[in-house]
Amino acid sequence: MTEVSLLSLVKSYGKSTALKGISLDVGHGEFVSLLGPSGCGKSTTLKCIAGFEDVTDGKILFDSKDISRKLPEDRDIGMVFQSYALFPHMTVARNLAFGLEMRRMARSEIADRVARAMDMVQLTPYADRYPKALSGGQQQRVALARALVIEPAILLLDEPLANLDAKLRDEMRGFIRDLQKRVGITTIYVTHDQNEAMTMSDRVVVMFDGEIAQAAPPEDVYDRPASERVARFVGNANILDLAVADQADAETSLSLPGGGRLAVTGGADAPVSRLRVMARPEQIALTGPGEGHIDGRIAKRYFSGGHVEYHVDTDCGTLNVLCPTTQNVAEGANVGLSFDTRRLWPLPGAAHVTAEPAA
Amino acid sequence: MKRARILMLIAPVAALIFLFIVLPYVTVLMMSFRAPAEGQPYGAGFSVEGYRQFFSQSYYALSLPQTMGLGIVTSLVCLLLGYPVALHIATAPKRWRGLLYGIVLSPLLVGIVVRSYGWTILLGNAGVINTTLRNLGLIERPLPLMYNEFGVVLALAHVFLPFMVLPLLASLQTADPAVRQAARSLGAGRFTVFRRVTLPMSMPGIQSGCILVFVLAISSYVTPALVGGMRVKTTTLLVVDALIDQFQWPFGSAMALTLAVSAGIVVLIFARLTRIRWS
Ligand SMILES: Nc1ncnc2c1ncn2[C@@H]1O[C@H](COP(=O)(O)OP(=O)(O)O)[C@@H](O)[C@H]1O
Ligand SMILES: [Mg+2]
């Protein structure tokens, strides 16, 4: 197991800068996801770690040893690509053997390890097939086995599930996660799918425009996002821009449009006049009119099997509310909304953000 | 009803194929078995005289292995020259690629006669190369650069190089760069990646490039005629000689067919040896 440290990594392509100082520590056996919109620099980060790109500035440490100047072949990395990047001219078994041959291992040892790796990803019957003759999911598993069979120091995966259909993707998520835990390998996983990042990772690193916006466990990123942008990227976020009525040490009291008060823990360090707070859709409950914190009218109702999603027009803008299907309200009905006040999250630095209508 | 419609749709293509591909072959095949005659292209009745004439005279018969050899060597030379070029273009930055592509194709814009004639200017006894070397005092007598296999292969390789580079480029460019990166991450150095990944993955391009150049080289007339000066006897030259100068249509047809069949066999053997099972 290896510890990876990125020290203010900078990567420029000519005039444009893809990475603007990425610093991150990944612990022994940790599963870390890089999450962010397309073009934010996730793949570039991975390519720098793998050695396919030279870093413009900064350092990459494996177990405190600087490897930033090493060639990719000397870094001892297992990598899985979105396109799988299997060797099309080699059978499954030969694909798996390649990395071991490069390590000049004895033939019997190679055969042994390849057999075990194929067993691990349940591909033993396909040993002599060429990649073209395998399904996407099978190719994916070959790619995974090929990266792991060399027992690398760290495992890098770049959107490995993006080309699979939804059902297989869910299956592979669990499969990769279980395998990673079993092998105990330090893993950096790139994805633009927040669900994937949250379900699989020990820690999620949210990136925007070549910078890390937040690095924290999935629960923290979801419940306590570091910024409005993170809040909106990771799941659905209702953001209320409210006037501050009273500001105490640990608690801030906010005035609601209907005249009510809303108490939130935490808030701004300095006295502010307004605060933006985030409430996730499932943290708002529907009540009768006048019974909740604010009143509203159901604008849209979407049934999605497990839940019903309501878009509710209020004086704080249109809010998303997610309810169990047992709670059924028709479009056009007047309702009250009650916030789970313990989970309302005052957005850091939000006092300086000017108000904009919620989505 | 449905069948009739389908037949109607394929009828024009079928007619074209018959008219321009099948019919000429059948005509040549028939002609190759006609009896020879004095003073006219062919006589009455059928015979195998054309084939006997070809295989019984070493002057003619030996042109066949000579031609095949010329084709194979030209293919090899094109492959050795073309591969680095294709590799370079395939890995060049995108904005340069168009220009490099154009440079490779540009010889095709100049007619084959002009290009072959260009080589005679360079390679002749009083040509640019020999004159320069003599003026520099490096040689006494002109080097035999032309009117031999060397000159013909050189000129053929130049003429047909684009036909090697294009298929190579196509197969190199379709290869996902991530595959090479995967090989690197698995511990392969640059050269090993080339030998074990890039090169075998470009096999389809090597195959079609070699076949293309081989077929074009053995059937070319202008270049061997100009640069070889009729001293390098290729079967194609002899075919034209028999058909046009000697006016012996059955003999010429027999040679043309023998050449075509031999080329087909060489191509089949080559395809078999380089069979690709993975695509
Ligand atoms: N080879 C390159 N040359 C120039 N710009 C590049 C190159 N590779 C990536 N970039 C730029 O760097 C930024 C980050 O790209 P990338 O890391 O691939 O994003 P992501 O994987 O997060 O979608 C993008 O703006 C992209 O255009
Ligand atoms: Mg990417």
Side-chain angles (χ1 to χ4, degrees), chain A residues 37-44 47 82 158-159 190 192:
Chain A
S38 171
C40 72
K42 308 180 295 290
S43 297
T44 305
K47 281 181 198 161
Q82 180 175 349
D158 193 352
E159 314 221 10
V190 161
H192 64 261

Side-chain angles (χ1 to χ4, degrees), chain A residues 1-4 26-30 49 61-63 65 67 70 72-79 103 113 147-156 180 183-188, chain B residues 185:
Chain A
M1 274 192 263
T2 306
E3 209 172 58
V4 180
V26 183
H28 296 288
E30 195 182 10
I49 299 174
L61 311 181
F62 286 3
D63 279 339
K65 280 196 293 288
I67 53 99
K70 274 197 183 178
E73 57 265 36
D74 299 328
R75 292 195 184 191
D76 199 17
I77 275 171
M79 178 135 184
R103 281 159 177 73
R113 287 219 199 181
L148 286 174
V149 73
I150 57 171
E151 297 180 1
I154 65 167
L155 179 64
L156 306 176
Q180 188 268 340
V183 179
I185 188 172
T186 308
T187 301
I188 303 179
Chain B
S185 75

Side-chain angles (χ1 to χ4, degrees), chain A residues 4 29 152 242 278:
Chain A
V4 180
L242 299 171
M278 179 201 76

Side-chain angles (χ1 to χ4, degrees), chain B residues 137-159:
Chain B
L138 293 170
I139 51 170
E140 304 260 301
R141 276 176 292 128
L143 293 172
L145 302 174
M146 235 180 94
Y147 307 125
N148 56 18
E149 281 85 354
F150 171 81
V152 173
V153 167
L154 189 64
L156 282 175
H158 168 242
V159 169

